[in-house]
Amino acid sequence: MAEILFHNTLTGRTEPFVPLVPDEVKIYTCGPTVYDFAHIGNFRTFVFQDVLRRFLRARGFRINQVMNLTDVDDRIIERAAAAAIGIREYTEKYIQAFLDDRRALNLEPPEHIVRATDHIGDMVRLIQILAEKGFTYTSEGSIYFRIAKFPAYGKLSRINMSGIQAGTRVDVDRYDKADARDFALWKAPKPGEHFWETPIGPGRPGWHIECSAMAMKYLGQTLDIHSGGVDLTFPHHENEIAQSEAATGKQFVRYWLHSEHLLVDHEKMSKSVGNIATLRELFAQGAKPSTVRFLLASVPYRRQLNFTEESVQGAASSVERLRNFVARLRAEKLPPGADEGMAARVAKASEDFDAALADDLNTAQALAAIFDLVRDANTAMDRGEFRQGDAAPVLGALERFDAIFAVLTDDDAAKLRALGIGAAGAVVTEAEIEALVAERQSARKRRDFQASDRIRNELSERGIILEDTRDGGVRWKRK
Ligand code: AMP
Ligand code: ZN
């Protein structure tokens, strides 16, 4: 099997991946700030992290993954106050929505999904250790990390520290490299704000400390992999390194993996730009969960992903092609025996699929290996050369594919219903119905009855009944 290579932001190189303890991989992934619904840019990163863990598991590793939920920050405090409710109550709705969205995208649950506000004590203890070791100072009730005391500061983002004045501080959690300064570990309460009474005084944690505290609590002082979107490299991950390594004197993370952004019109999808789309919005417009998962997984994580209507359609038809192929494989009357050439073809496709993923999770190349196999098998079937004994190995290869991509099971309608976006939710437009009816007619013409049934079922699930007329035409009506 091909050696696993990951691009490590810390070294700037693509390196062989070997976990610290054989067979087990300890992964920390920064989760969402639950002040609103996550957008599909966020889910690009979460899908990448899911592909990462699924691939490592397929390679036989046990996975221990922690994901945090940032359920206290400036925006949450502000919005909860505006709604006149507590922050737990305010964030609960978005946490549930996030977990529901994850299920719709077949994202495996990490072993630990943990809330920041359940770990205030762990953060306070970490800050106390940093204080004892002289890495902090207090100003107006807030506690800051003194970056001048940590000479390795900047090693992840390769920031040039020469122009940075020691002793100046920054109070906001999200800031640019140009603003690199001592950052807040603990923030003094402001009038009317939510705060905790603790041994280090009243207040609330800065954003960065939660990840260091929770990562080390569940995974120990040194993790194998830490990941997030590239925007987290600085300052968030740089600060995580400073806090953790200053406290333990040990390397915090061995491999840092960062995913590139999802873009719309060549601009990062983000709430502040105002170009976001949530999963639910996409679903209500007719996109299927499997389409979105496929699309987000199909572009290798270190490449930017430009989100367009066309890319959604392309992903939908790719999933359809794979599902149709599996249906054909199960239904087709095949001649007996087995073809040696096909067995070799399947072995090569499986090897190429695995090797592509081992090469820093090159999902595009992994997909190419599978689509090539599907094309060759379809051609062999058309020619009557695909035999009964060839079906099981090909299905086996597709199972290995689906253990990572997770799009073959046709359960989109049920997933949408679970989100409350079913026949009753999303209205199917007339144009959409006409397009599907035309697609079904052409499937019938080429005697592809699986495809034609599939379209009939899909429309039925979305509340549309088809009636075939005697003259070969079709009428439709809403249920
Ligand atoms: P946040 O809730 O802002 O902390 O973000 C949650 C995760 O989504 C982090 O790993 C971010 O880096 C990631 N993220 C945010 N915007 C995008 C985007 N447009 N494309 C890919 N990942 C993103
Ligand atoms: Zn984090």
Side-chain angles (χ1 to χ4, degrees):
M1 261 192 292
E3 183 177 40
I4 299 174
L5 302 173
F6 287 146
H7 184 270
N8 187 352
T9 312
L10 188 61
T11 58
R13 285 194 303 267
T14 301
E15 305 169 339
F17 173 74
V18 183
L20 202 55
V21 176
D23 304 334
E24 193 193 33
V25 184
K26 298 187 174 82
I27 307 177
Y28 187 88
T29 47
C30 293
T33 307
V34 284
Y35 72 109
D36 208 334
F37 293 103
H39 57 70
I40 55 162
N42 302 133
F43 280 107
R44 198 249 160 139
T45 293
F46 300 133
V47 167
F48 141 63
Q49 292 161 347
D50 188 62
V51 167
L52 170 68
R53 61 172 280 139
R54 283 169 178 267
F55 169 65
L56 289 170
R57 228 213 2 261
R59 277 299 193 97
F61 293 108
R62 221 165 349 105
I63 309 295
N64 193 1
Q65 181 189 355
V66 177
M67 173 179 272
N68 68 307
L69 299 168
T70 302
D71 63 349
V72 51
D73 91 329
D74 293 338
R75 291 165 297 186
I76 291 170
I77 289 173
E78 218 170 88
R79 288 182 180 208
I85 53 177
I87 57 171
R88 287 292 281 212
E89 196 185 337
Y90 177 80
T91 53
E92 190 57 42
K93 170 179 163 194
Y94 297 111
I95 290 176
Q96 283 317 317
F98 176 63
L99 298 178
D100 291 345
D101 285 356
R102 289 183 62 89
R103 270 189 290 276
L105 287 184
N106 278 347
L107 298 174
E108 290 185 342
E111 284 62 27
H112 307 272
I113 294 198
V114 286
R115 281 176 163 217
T117 55
D118 285 334
H119 295 78
I120 301 294
D122 299 290
M123 299 183 218
V124 166
R125 276 189 290 284
L126 186 54
I127 294 169
Q128 285 174 318
I129 294 172
L130 290 170
E132 277 159 25
K133 297 195 171 184
F135 287 98
T136 69
Y137 61 91
T138 302
S139 172
E140 292 165 29
S142 292
I143 304 176
Y144 296 88
F145 186 94
R146 194 190 295 279
I147 58 177
K149 268 277 286 181
F150 186 74
Y153 192 86
K155 67 180 173 179
L156 182 71
S157 52
R158 293 183 184 73
I159 188 171
N160 178 358
M161 299 293 292
S162 58
I164 289 157
Q165 265 201 316
T168 56
R169 10 175 235 280
V170 53
D171 278 296
V172 289
D173 288 323
R174 296 178 193 248
Y175 52 90
D176 293 333
K177 281 187 191 181
D179 260 332
R181 278 179 273 172
D182 295 345
F183 58 91
L185 298 163
W186 190 254
K187 300 184 177 194
K190 295 204 193 102
E193 263 190 2
H194 189 99
F195 69 94
W196 283 263
E197 271 306 344
T198 75
I200 54 173
R204 63 184 173 93
W207 171 35
H208 315 293
I209 195 74
E210 69 180 80
C211 289
S212 290
M214 294 191 277
M216 294 198 287
K217 173 171 183 153
Y218 294 98
L219 299 173
Q221 295 180 335
T222 300
L223 333 181
D224 292 304
I225 298 177
H226 193 316
S227 81
V230 278
D231 55 304
L232 297 191
T233 313
F234 187 89
H236 186 53
H237 291 161
E238 198 69 72
N239 292 352
E240 280 190 42
I241 292 176
Q243 298 161 156
S244 310
E245 298 190 357
T248 68
K250 306 232 173 70
Q251 181 171 19
F252 176 45
V253 172
R254 302 172 60 240
Y255 300 86
W256 284 93
L257 271 54
H258 289 105
S259 52
E260 272 297 339
H261 285 143
L262 179 142
L263 313 177
V264 184
D265 292 333
H266 306 286
E267 201 167 0
K268 177 189 169 193
M269 178 174 280
S270 81
K271 190 103 185 155
S272 54
V273 179
N275 59 354
I276 62 161
T278 64
L279 267 190
R280 285 147 205 257
E281 281 163 358
L282 282 187
F283 293 160
Q285 287 159 15
K288 294 179 182 178
S290 58
T291 301
V292 180
R293 177 170 171 105
F294 184 94
L295 173 59
L296 298 182
S298 62
V299 177
Y301 77 97
R302 290 186 60 232
R303 257 193 249 154
Q304 292 179 329
L305 192 166
N306 202 27
F307 184 81
T308 61
E309 181 62 36
E310 272 164 25
S311 60
V312 177
Q313 280 164 12
S317 66
S318 295
V319 174
E320 195 69 2
R321 213 176 325 149
L322 293 169
R323 288 182 180 177
N324 283 339
F325 173 71
V326 176
R328 181 178 185 190
L329 201 55
R330 296 218 161 98
E332 192 107 338
K333 285 245 167 306
L334 299 168
D339 184 85
E340 250 175 55
M342 190 47 71
R345 182 69 198 80
V346 175
K348 169 88 172 66
S350 294
E351 195 183 310
D352 289 351
F353 178 75
D354 174 78
L357 293 175
D359 183 11
D360 200 23
L361 300 179
N362 190 334
T363 48
Q365 212 164 332
L367 285 173
I370 291 303
F371 278 101
D372 282 354
L373 174 67
V374 167
R375 191 198 51 224
D376 291 354
N378 266 325
T379 310
M381 270 189 233
D382 294 343
R383 293 196 188 128
E385 290 165 6
F386 193 96
R387 300 182 172 275
Q388 284 167 15
D390 300 329
V394 172
L395 281 171
L398 285 167
E399 253 168 48
R400 288 189 287 281
F401 152 80
D402 211 43
I404 314 285
F405 281 85
V407 292
L408 289 182
T409 307
D410 196 352
D411 57 0
D412 293 298
K415 290 210 165 102
L416 291 174
R417 271 198 304 276
L419 287 179
I421 311 170
V427 179
V428 201
T429 64
E430 214 157 293
E432 228 182 310
I433 299 169
E434 296 293 353
L436 283 166
V437 167
E439 207 180 308
R440 176 166 172 270
Q441 287 296 73
S442 81
R444 289 171 81 197
K445 252 195 217 123
R446 54 171 205 274
R447 306 188 64 74
D448 183 350
F449 296 115
Q450 275 138 21
S452 120
D453 284 350
R454 185 192 302 285
I455 294 169
R456 173 196 281 279
N457 291 342
E458 179 186 332
L459 281 169
S460 164
E461 273 171 354
R462 297 174 74 185
I464 307 299
I465 299 174
L466 300 186
E467 286 170 1
D468 295 324
T469 59
R470 272 200 213 141
D471 58 0
V474 188
R475 268 198 302 265
W476 62 265
K477 61 178 187 204
R478 293 184 194 269
K479 274 185 200 168

